[in-house]
Amino acid sequence: MMKSVLRGISIAVSFWPLAIIILLIQLAFGLVVGSQVGSSLSEVIGFSKAGELFSQGFDYAVYQDMLKAFPDALADVQRSIPIVIIAYLLISIFLHGGLIRSIITNQRSWSSFMKNGLTYFLPFLLIGFTFLILFLLLTAILWAPVLINALNIIESIASDRLFFYLLYVIGIIYLLGLSLLVSASVNSRINYAVVNESIFSSLKAGFAWTLKKYLPLTCIFSGFSLLSFLLLCCSIKLDTGLGLNVWLSFLTTLVFIIFRILVRSSFYATLMHYCEAIVDEGDH
Amino acid sequence: MMYINIHLRYCFLLAALVIGLATSGYAQCLPLSTAQSERIADYQMELSLDHDQKMASGTALITWRNPSPKAVKELKMYMYLNAFKNMKSTWLRGTDGEVFGRQMSERAAEEWGYVTIDSISIKDGTDLTGGIQYVQVDGNEDDETVLSIPLPRSVRGGDSIVLSVDFRAKLPKTIARSGYGENNFHLFVHWYPKLGVYEQDKEGQWGWNCHQFMQRTEFYGDFGLYDVSITCDDSFTVGASGCLVAESQSEGRQTLRYIAEDVIDFAWCVSPELEVYEDSWQDIYIRLLVPRDHRGMAERYMAATKNALQYFNDHLGKYPYPGITIMDPPFHSLRNGFMEYPTFATAGTVYGMPGWFKGSESLAIHEFAHQFFMAVLANNEKEEAWLDEGFVTYYEDRIMEAYYGVHSSQLDVFGIRYGNSALSRKEYVSMRNHSSTAIARPGWEITGNYKGIVYSKTATMLKTLERYISRNKMDEMMRAYFEQYKFTHPRTETFVNHLKTYLQANYSASEVDTYLGLVNACLHGSDTVDYYVESITENSTTLNNKGALRMPVEIELISITNDTIRQHWDGSSPKTITLKDEISSVHIDPEQKLYLDLNLNNNSLKTTQTSFSRYILKSITSIQHALQSLSFLL
């Protein structure tokens, strides 16, 4: 497993230009929201001294007065965020297609990345959609009973520590389920990109691979997820705790985002390498 | 005569206690033994708790002195636990049957509570039981929260009467405040037959002020001495108003005796899962009762209580009682939390409360502050709740900001932060409708956002007054108010007259009119103020007010040559100011003295636009981080 992880990281790093492409695409989506935020603020408090105060740092009173006087001030931003997320997720599927197939075939050119992305977009979209439904089902099955009965649980359980432990246990089960789904999702796509059979057989193979090596795959998922989360925390801490200049803070955050993209690419590459080994084992 | 006997017994007890303390050092809370109030109603109670039945039963010896010159032929008592007897009480009718997400009609018979008198007699043996009846002074003939006790002979002005009352108080499974929870947690508040207040109304007529228990109304009681003995299982931790002066154990039961002096009420709790933390601030004994799961909060609660004691000592007056007990209910009984009782307050938190959120400290300080506004300055919380809740919120905000940061006293995480005053102001200014926000009204007359009006508008009004007259003057005025009216029942007029006298002694007639006008407008009216800069046209600017409330403010004008000009504006609108030079920016009330202004953002206008690059860049990177996290799962 460690061999696959190291190999995965090495492959991801060697494909660094792809990380830059992903960053630029994300940046474009970020710009859509950022420019809306900027124009909304400029429009409603841009000519006020309160706006000056707010531009220097978050001020609760200014923010509340703004929303009170202009309840729709951030409506455009709120409307565009779901659209941005959906659009990005669709593009992300395209990027996955390009990334996974390019890594498998060791193609590093921009044209082959684009070609692969287009070729695998539709099947990967269907695979992604299937896992999205499974993800929603898992969420509902685990969390809905807790939410519906929260008041009863709180008032009948002797200790709130127990209540929080219950949440932790459900959280851990949820993460294990999530690990299964994410690994199976990536493995299904890898299978599809490698063997090019039907989507259904790829989903089957993806789950079969994942279940066969669930523990190491969960370790791989947990490790990369944790690393990505730690990078996120460090980024926020640096942004809010060090009092960096606005632009310096922005550039530092971009560096962290690139690292997080590389972590995600490493996860895919590791799974590809690890699953190739599984395929090999099966073939023998 | 009987009245004197009770006090003699009490003096002997205290003498014994002092001697005992000197040798054993057992208790740190020592009754003061000197009367600080005019004690009208004294209660000597002996109670036994049956925790299986959730019931305390016993005898109360109630001594009441007629404070009026008029003979009294009838007594009135609060029987507030009957608010939780059935769905017909005024309290529950006011809820549409749902309290904190729970349908009350679904509860089992044993989950309801009540207080009932088995027998009542005058100390000479005259039985009054047959004559007592529930009365409905505020309507709703099904309500049983006020009891009338006709007397066979009048109590003359200045005379006393001693009643012997056998009663049972059965706790409900907590609906709000009073009740029981899991694992034998019991909180007895609003629980015993308690006398109303015999006083003069606004027209000078003597009579009983004894309202039904309503959802938004709380206390009104006379000062007195409470001598209460509680017998319960000896595995339980007990907390109560006053000081523990004696305890004994026998056959698995413990009897604890508490003395609470010069208080208007008595509350107590029992639970096997509360841990005790003790400390002191100067000579004030602090007792924290915290469930095991909330151990991590004990230090924070203790610090918050000490901070509050110190702050009040420095800015208002000395805490006049020998001790304070703060009880944090277990999570399952959170409905029992967030309330104030004399020398006993309930807080509330959850396991693992993060340090960046100070809500629990803020609430503990709020409930502690009620010791000054409610317990000592014992206003009628039913008719004029602003006199305690409003002042308490004002001081809560000040204390929190003094010790935990002006802009971060409530929350400080990931660059998002806010302080108490901003939150109080927001609760008032963000109300959807300001057309009925007069503060000084009985609780049952206030519809809509009760907290926004009684708590937040009052606190914001006081903050505005403070900013106009300065904090030092505000403290001086409030210290004098506290000193003069402690252990009395101040009314709205009491405070307003005190303020007027203070202002007249320190300010010009026009300033007195302005400041007093502001307070009266907020107390009795719904006018708002929202100053705004309408326009800047080269060298002139127009100022206006969207509301009808007017206060004088400073105007800061900056010209394109960067000269700063200050002008005074009396608030009459619209107002046009013309300068020689072109105007670059205008700012009404730059120091934000007028904190009541509904929108501070439109108080200024400038000709150049601010860049929000901070938020643009933050939005870009935040979205990227979010997309990255999401796509990791895809």
Side-chain angles (χ1 to χ4, degrees):
Chain A
M1 186 181 79
M2 276 315 292
K3 199 175 146 190
S4 295
V5 171
L6 293 173
R7 179 80 186 122
I9 293 170
S10 145
I11 291 169
V13 171
S14 69
F15 275 83
W16 66 267
L18 293 183
I20 301 293
I21 291 168
I22 292 170
L23 175 82
L24 292 174
I25 291 169
Q26 283 184 356
L27 197 62
F29 280 100
L31 273 170
V32 172
V33 177
S35 61
Q36 278 183 334
V37 168
S39 65
S40 295
L41 292 177
S42 296
E43 201 177 309
V44 296
I45 53 172
F47 289 97
S48 162
K49 291 257 184 181
E52 263 176 26
L53 181 71
F54 195 64
S55 73
Q56 289 156 17
F58 181 80
D59 186 290
Y60 184 71
V62 173
Y63 181 71
Q64 284 302 333
D65 281 4
M66 180 185 83
L67 290 188
K68 181 168 59 69
F70 304 97
D72 296 330
L74 296 173
D76 287 345
V77 179
Q78 286 163 356
R79 269 194 295 271
S80 70
I81 284 177
I83 296 167
V84 162
I85 288 173
I86 291 167
Y88 177 74
L89 288 181
L90 288 173
I91 287 185
S92 192
I93 283 165
F94 168 81
L95 296 175
H96 287 170
L99 190 66
I100 288 172
R101 186 65 193 172
S102 298
I103 291 174
I104 286 169
T105 54
N106 201 22
Q107 297 169 303
R108 288 158 194 272
S109 70
W110 169 245
S111 59
S112 55
F113 177 81
M114 294 295 283
K115 192 182 152 202
N116 289 332
L118 283 171
T119 308
Y120 291 97
F121 178 74
L122 200 58
F124 277 23
L125 178 66
L126 290 172
I127 291 171
F129 190 66
T130 306
F131 279 95
L132 181 67
I133 290 169
L134 290 173
F135 163 73
L136 292 175
L137 272 175
L138 175 75
T139 307
I141 289 167
L142 282 176
W143 292 111
V146 180
L147 288 175
I148 291 165
N149 295 300
L151 200 58
N152 284 330
I153 297 169
I154 288 167
E155 292 193 345
S156 58
I157 207 161
S159 153
D160 50 335
R161 190 162 34 173
L162 288 180
F163 178 71
F164 282 97
Y165 286 171
L166 172 75
L167 294 183
Y168 296 154
V169 168
I170 295 172
I172 288 166
I173 296 169
Y174 184 64
L175 286 177
L176 290 173
L178 217 56
S179 157
L180 174 76
L181 291 181
V182 171
S183 300
S185 168
V186 177
N187 284 337
S188 300
R189 275 175 278 176
I190 293 169
N191 178 273
Y192 190 87
V194 172
V195 298
N196 247 331
E197 287 181 358
S198 72
I199 289 171
F200 181 72
S201 63
S202 291
L203 285 170
K204 226 169 98 179
F207 268 109
W209 287 357
T210 307
L211 288 171
K212 190 175 173 186
K213 290 285 182 183
Y214 179 62
L215 189 63
L217 286 176
T218 299
C219 290
I220 293 168
F221 170 74
S222 306
F224 282 114
S225 301
L226 190 66
L227 185 57
S228 182
F229 181 69
L230 284 175
L231 286 168
L232 173 66
C233 292
C234 290
S235 170
I236 293 170
K237 194 74 191 164
L238 276 174
D239 190 28
T240 57
L242 290 188
L244 295 176
N245 163 286
V246 174
W247 283 98
L248 191 58
S249 170
F250 175 69
L251 292 174
T252 314
T253 309
L254 285 187
V255 171
F256 276 99
I257 291 167
I258 291 177
F259 280 128
R260 290 189 73 206
I261 293 170
L262 284 173
V263 167
R264 184 156 63 99
S265 305
S266 302
F267 172 62
Y268 296 148
T270 300
L271 251 58
M272 268 178 266
H273 191 263
Y274 194 67
C275 292
E276 271 173 31
I278 297 169
V279 175
D280 290 344
E281 276 175 31
D283 290 343
H284 291 296
Chain B
M1 190 63 184
M2 213 53 219
Y3 179 73
I4 295 167
N5 278 346
I6 288 171
H7 281 80
L8 275 175
R9 282 175 58 187
Y10 166 63
C11 289
F12 283 128
L13 174 75
L14 283 181
L17 181 69
V18 171
I19 294 164
L21 275 170
T23 54
S24 71
Y26 131 67
Q28 296 167 357
C29 186
L30 182 64
L32 297 174
S33 76
T34 52
Q36 300 186 85
S37 69
E38 192 185 351
R39 295 175 182 173
I40 302 292
D42 294 337
Y43 295 79
Q44 188 188 350
M45 294 192 265
E46 287 185 8
L47 304 156
S48 175
L49 172 68
D50 179 342
H51 59 262
D52 290 329
Q53 297 297 317
K54 314 297 177 198
M55 186 187 290
S57 52
T59 304
L61 214 57
I62 305 173
T63 306
W64 180 73
R65 185 169 60 82
N66 182 355
S68 78
K70 196 179 154 190
V72 173
K73 294 178 182 173
E74 177 202 26
L75 303 178
K76 277 191 181 162
M77 275 185 167
Y78 301 117
M79 301 287 279
Y80 272 7
L81 217 43
N82 287 337
F84 308 118
K85 190 174 186 177
N86 52 44
M87 292 297 295
K88 296 174 184 171
S89 71
T90 301
W91 201 100
L92 278 166
R93 278 191 180 178
T95 63
D96 298 329
E98 191 176 299
V99 182
F100 298 138
R102 281 266 186 231
Q103 268 301 326
M104 290 299 111
S105 54
E106 291 170 1
R107 49 177 47 212
E110 67 273 13
E111 291 179 340
W112 293 100
Y114 59 84
V115 57
T116 188
I117 290 178
D118 293 322
S119 73
I120 179 167
S121 58
I122 302 176
K123 196 61 183 150
D124 65 8
T126 309
D127 187 33
L128 305 175
T129 315
I132 61 175
Q133 61 174 345
Y134 291 110
V135 289
Q136 289 74 34
V137 289
D138 301 303
N140 181 15
E141 60 184 21
D142 295 318
D143 187 84
E144 296 183 356
T145 58
V146 177
L147 188 73
S148 166
I149 306 156
L151 299 172
R153 52 189 174 277
S154 302
V155 182
R156 287 179 300 179
D159 280 359
S160 296
I161 183 171
V162 180
L163 302 173
S164 176
V165 185
D166 290 330
F167 72 99
R168 285 173 288 141
K170 156 77 174 72
L171 285 183
K173 185 172 182 184
T174 307
I175 294 171
R177 306 166 184 163
S178 201
Y180 70 88
E182 289 298 304
N183 198 16
N184 280 318
F185 175 84
H186 301 72
L187 180 66
F188 283 87
V189 296
H190 302 299
W191 59 282
Y192 58 95
K194 177 182 165 181
L195 287 163
V197 177
Y198 195 73
E199 64 173 12
Q200 280 179 297
D201 63 17
K202 285 176 184 171
E203 283 75 43
Q205 297 297 311
W206 285 93
W208 284 102
N209 191 314
C210 193
H211 288 288
Q212 291 175 357
F213 200 8
M214 300 178 206
Q215 209 192 359
R216 286 174 166 177
T217 62
E218 293 169 351
F219 298 92
Y220 194 39
D222 266 320
F223 289 97
L225 169 71
Y226 285 72
D227 178 351
V228 182
S229 294
I230 299 162
T231 301
C232 64
D233 192 289
D234 67 2
S235 64
F236 293 160
T237 300
V238 181
S241 296
C243 295
L244 175 66
V245 295
E247 61 181 326
S248 61
Q249 267 93 21
S250 171
E251 296 173 353
R253 304 275 285 172
Q254 59 179 334
T255 298
L256 306 167
R257 187 173 185 186
Y258 291 88
I259 298 286
E261 303 162 298
D262 304 300
V263 292
I264 60 161
D265 199 6
F266 187 92
W268 56 290
C269 70
V270 159
S271 167
E273 58 181 307
L274 293 173
E275 292 181 345
V276 180
Y277 297 83
E278 295 172 298
D279 204 337
S280 61
W281 177 87
Q282 293 190 358
D283 54 346
I284 312 295
Y285 167 68
I286 306 169
R287 189 167 192 247
L288 286 184
L289 303 174
V290 179
R292 281 185 287 273
D293 289 344
H294 300 170
R295 271 179 194 162
M297 277 302 297
E299 205 177 314
R300 288 168 63 177
Y301 279 138
M302 194 62 86
T305 309
K306 286 182 180 179
N307 290 342
L309 278 160
Q310 181 71 56
Y311 197 88
F312 276 118
N313 195 60
D314 294 345
H315 298 274
L316 185 71
K318 185 166 168 52
Y319 180 72
Y321 296 115
I324 175 72
T325 297
I326 308 276
M327 188 272 288
D328 173 27
F331 194 46
H332 54 69
S333 297
L334 205 58
R335 289 161 188 260
N336 296 89
F338 319 126
M339 270 300 291
E340 70 280 8
Y341 310 97
T343 71
F344 182 94
T346 61
T349 192
V350 294
Y351 170 72
M353 178 64 80
W356 45 259
F357 180 60
K358 301 278 190 305
S360 295
E361 282 94 333
S362 195
L363 285 163
I365 288 171
H366 180 100
E367 305 311 342
F368 174 79
H370 273 294
Q371 301 307 318
F372 290 83
F373 300 97
M374 175 284 286
V376 180
L377 292 164
N379 60 295
N380 185 334
E381 280 196 297
K382 301 154 199 293
E383 295 177 358
E384 298 171 316
W386 79 274
L387 279 167
D388 59 289
E389 295 296 358
F391 278 99
V392 160
T393 306
Y394 167 69
Y395 278 102
E396 172 196 359
D397 294 350
R398 282 182 58 171
I399 295 167
M400 285 299 291
E401 292 180 355
Y403 290 98
Y404 303 103
V406 174
H407 297 292
S408 55
S409 60
Q410 275 274 331
L411 182 89
D412 188 2
V413 63
F414 296 143
I416 306 293
R417 53 190 202 144
Y418 56 80
N420 279 60
S421 295
L423 193 64
S424 292
R425 177 183 167 271
K426 179 243 168 186
E427 282 173 350
Y428 163 62
V429 301
S430 298
M431 286 170 65
R432 284 185 185 171
N433 187 352
H434 289 91
S435 64
S436 179
T437 59
I439 297 169
R441 287 180 289 167
W444 52 88
E445 281 184 16
I446 298 176
T447 52
N449 189 341
Y450 184 82
K451 188 166 184 271
I453 297 168
V454 174
Y455 293 60
S456 307
K457 185 182 173 186
T458 309
T460 310
M461 172 193 79
L462 292 170
K463 187 90 180 165
T464 301
L465 180 66
E466 175 205 302
R467 288 183 174 186
Y468 270 90
I469 69 173
S470 85
R471 176 161 285 190
N472 284 342
K473 292 283 184 196
M474 187 76 174
D475 284 352
E476 192 176 79
M477 184 272 292
M478 287 304 297
R479 267 197 212 102
Y481 173 62
F482 179 73
E483 207 48 47
Q484 190 172 346
Y485 297 104
K486 63 183 180 185
F487 297 109
T488 67
H489 300 304
R491 289 191 163 272
T492 296
E493 300 75 42
T494 317
F495 175 74
V496 173
N497 289 337
H498 170 80
L499 176 65
K500 188 178 175 182
T501 307
Y502 179 82
L503 292 174
Q504 282 171 338
N506 290 277
Y507 295 91
S508 68
S510 68
E511 285 172 314
V512 173
D513 286 347
T514 300
Y515 303 147
L516 214 53
L518 169 79
V519 171
N520 279 320
C522 290
L523 293 181
H524 306 293
S526 304
D527 287 348
T528 56
V529 56
D530 182 4
Y531 287 146
Y532 66 104
V533 184
E534 202 167 82
S535 62
I536 297 176
T537 316
E538 294 184 348
N539 65 339
S540 76
T541 180
T542 304
L543 319 176
N544 216 329
N545 181 7
K546 290 181 183 173
L549 183 64
R550 210 174 82 179
M551 281 292 285
V553 285
E554 292 291 307
I555 313 292
E556 186 180 82
L557 301 113
I558 298 175
S559 68
I560 51 163
T561 54
N562 224 16
D563 290 332
T564 302
I565 299 122
R566 283 260 178 166
Q567 288 200 6
H568 182 77
W569 180 31
D570 66 1
S572 56
S573 55
K575 160 111 176 156
T576 301
I577 300 170
T578 306
L579 299 182
K580 280 188 292 182
D581 294 324
E582 206 172 307
I583 296 171
S584 161
S585 72
V586 183
H587 200 168
I588 303 168
D589 188 24
E591 278 85 34
Q592 289 191 353
K593 285 184 176 175
L594 189 50
Y595 208 47
L596 278 163
D597 193 317
L598 291 186
N599 184 358
L600 296 170
N601 290 354
N602 62 9
N603 282 21
S604 55
L605 194 63
K606 55 197 183 77
T607 50
T608 52
Q609 201 169 14
T610 303
S611 158
F612 291 97
S613 54
R614 171 189 293 269
Y615 294 96
I616 296 169
L617 296 176
K618 267 193 194 292
S619 303
I620 292 170
T621 50
S622 300
I623 284 288
Q624 280 185 288
H625 268 312
L627 293 175
Q628 195 52 38
S629 300
L630 277 171
S631 58
F632 201 88
L633 297 175
L634 197 77

